[in-house]
Amino acid sequence: MDKLKTGINQASGWLLYLSLLMLLALALPRTVFDPESKDFLLLIGVVGIWRYSMGALHFLRGCLFLYLVYPHYRRKVRKLGSAADPSHVFLLVTSFRIDALTTAMVYRSVVREAIDCGYPTTVVCSIVELSDELLIKDIWSQLAPPAQVTLDFVRIPGTGKRDGLAHGFRAISRQMPDSNAVVAVIDGDTVLGEGVVRKTVPWFKLFPNVGGLTTNEFCEVRGSYVMSEWHKLRFAQRHLNMCSMALSKRVLTMTGRMSVFRASVVTDPEFIADVESDHLDHWRLGRFQFLTGDDKSSWYSLMRLGYDTFYVPDAAINTVEHPPEKSFIKASRKLMFRWYGNNLRQNSRALRLGVRRLGAFTSVVLFDQRVSMWTSLLGLCVAIIASVKYSIAFILVYLLWIGITRLVLTLLLSLSGHHIGPAYPLILYYNQIVGALVKIYVFFRLDQQSWTRQNTTLDRGLASFTRWFNTWSSRAMTFSATSVFIATLLALV
């Protein structure tokens, strides 16, 4: 009954969206649809050539990897058989301020995977609170793992995820794992899919230079319908982008929800230092520690140390998402601020590694991340200026263009194997515009960081004049850059 109700709601949503597109098209003059006319609809899309070409390239590369290259690799892995088995598997789970129900789901899935994978396995629990330890021990006694599966606790102060990871890595180092051991780093709100360990660990044997790999994500959102669809859309886009970058073995983040590393990587003192105390020396804001973004720090460390990165699309995990606010607008802005800040803090120094280390395509993608905050706003700004200066029809044509192109993008996302819904076209455009505005804001305030779940922020202990200078110089640069952007468009239009 629930499935029937969901299906009816989905069909109604798609029908409403298509009806609005048709009404918008009927409101426009016929010349908009005449290829011989200067008002032809597709002409407004010229400003997006760069963005659409990058999107199309990612889509084609992602499909090539997902449907041709990866199945070929998987056949090669199967031929290796037991030769690809690791000597030992460490499952490192970090938990802090997560509700007991989610914690129980997570650790039950982790312990079951430790039992079912068949490898000698150690579950390493990096925790803060005694209640988590008691809960984990209770789950452990219920599932009664065999002797080859062991449990290790690492108790730390609640000083952040980076410290939790570093303490866990050092605990694994003390066990002196050999070169064939692997370490899975799992977030405290990640429920492992069945067989995820056996699907991920053999790739290190097939690709000797891969230092870390990450997995496909699905989510269960404890929030509104729009928030749920927003997260699901993000994971569908992530899946295709990960596949695209995996074609070059340059996946751009070692997702904190679940990534797997060689034990020789996570026991390397340089790697541990990169994750624990990563920082940036900024020409205007000075030196500041990274509070969030451990997944980007681990990726950058792997690139700097000379490793490749990979993605396993059929190894699935399920995350339990708790929005930081009840309001979709507030929650999405908070999450974008954290994600895009992590991205931009790593971007410039990653580009400095050079084309020889990163490869041409990866360098172009990193460059696109820097300019997309402006190119994403270009079409809307031009349409608004043209509507004010010439005719309101320009904004209507632009809205029709956006409606059609986002519908096409949504249908293409269905090839990722992730759910799509009628809200996706609108959410895609919301992400484009609001995401670009958040990127511009955070680009000039890279030192501002905060966790959403713990509600903690970075306190640098700066002198009052330094704080004043950083605040007002950030505002001045934001105003100057925005003014130059708008003035350029006014001159062109």
Side-chain angles (χ1 to χ4, degrees):
M1 193 67 180
D2 289 339
K3 288 185 178 180
L4 178 61
K5 185 178 179 181
T6 301
I8 292 172
N9 290 337
Q10 293 278 324
S12 301
W14 284 115
L15 185 60
L16 176 62
Y17 183 81
L18 293 173
S19 299
L20 291 174
L21 279 185
M22 291 175 67
L23 289 173
L24 193 56
L26 290 171
L28 292 169
R30 291 186 179 182
T31 54
V32 169
F33 307 99
D34 182 4
E36 303 297 326
S37 170
K38 62 183 176 64
D39 300 325
F40 184 44
L41 172 66
L42 291 179
L43 293 180
I44 201 171
V46 172
V47 297
I49 285 177
W50 170 266
R51 293 192 62 251
Y52 288 116
S53 61
M54 284 299 298
L57 194 54
H58 268 305
F59 177 76
L60 292 174
R61 284 171 55 93
C63 288
L64 177 62
F65 176 81
L66 188 59
Y67 296 109
L68 291 177
V69 176
Y70 181 74
H72 170 68
Y73 285 159
R74 189 168 50 196
R75 287 191 293 270
K76 294 176 72 173
V77 163
R78 286 172 180 166
K79 288 181 180 179
L80 291 174
S82 60
D85 290 351
S87 58
H88 200 96
V89 175
F90 294 89
L91 302 179
L92 170 61
V93 189
T94 56
S95 298
F96 181 49
R97 289 185 181 171
I98 298 173
D99 65 276
L101 179 61
T102 301
T103 299
M105 290 169 58
V106 169
Y107 278 98
R108 195 173 294 278
S109 73
V110 170
V111 176
R112 280 179 176 163
E113 270 301 293
I115 296 170
D116 295 344
C117 72
Y119 307 128
T121 305
T122 300
V123 178
V124 182
C125 309
S126 182
I127 58 174
V128 176
E129 293 145 336
L130 178 61
S131 58
D132 284 344
E133 181 175 343
L134 297 175
L135 177 61
I136 295 163
K137 285 181 176 178
D138 182 58
I139 293 171
W140 189 267
S141 63
Q142 290 177 26
L143 297 178
Q148 67 178 9
V149 181
T150 56
L151 181 64
D152 188 14
F153 284 101
V154 180
R155 290 289 297 275
I156 64 165
T159 50
K161 184 181 176 183
R162 288 181 179 272
D163 287 341
L165 289 171
H167 281 76
F169 292 158
R170 292 191 181 102
I172 293 170
S173 299
R174 288 191 289 271
Q175 300 194 31
M176 302 181 68
D178 62 30
S179 58
N180 290 322
V182 299
V183 178
V185 178
I186 303 160
D187 211 352
D189 55 3
T190 301
V191 179
L192 302 189
E194 186 177 350
V196 69
V197 172
R198 295 195 69 89
K199 289 176 180 177
T200 52
V201 297
W203 297 98
F204 294 102
K205 193 70 173 181
L206 182 67
F207 301 126
N209 200 51
V210 166
L213 56 84
T214 192
T215 51
N216 194 0
E217 290 186 34
F218 296 86
C219 64
E220 175 189 336
V221 182
R222 306 286 171 83
S224 66
Y225 168 77
V226 177
M227 179 58 70
S228 177
E229 294 295 281
W230 185 70
H231 275 285
K232 290 173 183 176
L233 169 62
R234 173 175 168 261
F235 286 133
Q237 290 178 301
R238 171 191 179 275
H239 181 55
L240 283 176
N241 286 338
M242 288 283 194
C243 287
S244 171
M245 300 311 301
L247 197 61
S248 307
K249 295 188 181 68
R250 287 293 181 274
V251 174
L252 294 180
T253 182
M254 289 291 98
T255 309
R257 299 305 177 84
M258 180 180 175
S259 291
V260 188
F261 301 87
R262 293 184 185 275
S264 57
V265 169
V266 302
T267 57
D268 185 332
E270 283 190 69
F271 181 83
I272 296 174
D274 284 342
V275 173
E276 182 179 30
S277 55
D278 202 1
H279 62 274
L280 185 66
D281 291 305
H282 193 272
W283 67 275
R284 178 173 55 86
L285 301 171
R287 171 175 288 199
F288 54 89
Q289 296 291 119
F290 289 172
L291 179 65
T292 62
D294 55 277
D295 52 350
K296 290 290 184 181
S297 296
S298 57
W299 169 79
Y300 176 75
S301 186
L302 288 172
M303 290 293 104
R304 188 175 61 82
L305 295 171
Y307 290 101
D308 296 335
T309 54
F310 195 64
Y311 178 63
V312 185
D314 59 357
I317 59 171
N318 294 278
T319 62
V320 183
E321 303 288 344
H322 296 84
E325 300 280 351
K326 290 184 178 179
S327 165
F328 167 72
I329 302 294
K330 290 181 179 179
S332 60
R333 277 173 42 219
K334 272 192 174 184
L335 291 169
M336 285 180 181
F337 183 84
R338 177 162 63 89
W339 296 337
Y340 295 151
N342 295 338
N343 194 358
L344 291 169
R345 277 185 284 275
Q346 296 290 350
N347 187 283
S348 58
R349 66 177 187 175
L351 278 170
R352 288 197 291 269
L353 292 173
V355 177
R356 182 174 296 181
R357 175 71 195 101
L358 296 173
F361 182 73
T362 306
S363 299
V364 170
V365 170
L366 290 172
F367 172 76
D368 180 62
Q369 289 177 353
R370 296 183 73 81
V371 300
S372 64
M373 68 186 83
W374 302 108
T375 58
S376 296
L377 296 174
L378 195 61
L380 176 61
C381 292
V382 168
I384 292 173
I385 294 170
S387 296
V388 173
K389 192 171 183 180
Y390 300 111
S391 168
I392 192 66
F394 280 95
I395 194 67
L396 296 178
V397 171
Y398 175 74
L399 291 175
L400 181 59
W401 170 259
I402 290 299
I404 294 171
T405 54
R406 272 51 190 178
L407 176 60
V408 172
L409 290 175
T410 297
L411 296 177
L412 291 176
L413 282 175
S414 64
L415 295 175
S416 69
H418 285 246
H419 156 87
I420 64 169
Y424 276 26
L426 297 177
I427 297 174
L428 276 169
Y429 189 62
Y430 172 85
N431 284 347
Q432 175 184 326
I433 301 303
V434 177
L437 295 174
V438 172
K439 280 184 181 179
I440 291 170
Y441 180 85
V442 76
F443 181 76
F444 298 106
R445 297 163 179 81
L446 293 177
D447 59 328
Q448 295 185 17
Q449 306 163 61
S450 64
W451 278 108
T452 47
R453 184 167 58 230
Q454 289 91 340
N455 199 27
T456 54
T457 58
L458 178 66
D459 182 9
R460 300 171 64 190
L462 298 176
S464 58
F465 173 78
T466 305
R467 287 199 304 271
W468 176 88
F469 174 79
N470 286 354
T471 299
W472 283 99
S473 64
S474 295
R475 291 174 180 174
M477 295 198 70
T478 306
F479 177 78
S480 300
T482 305
S483 299
V484 170
F485 176 70
I486 294 173
T488 302
L489 292 183
L490 284 170
L492 291 174
V493 174

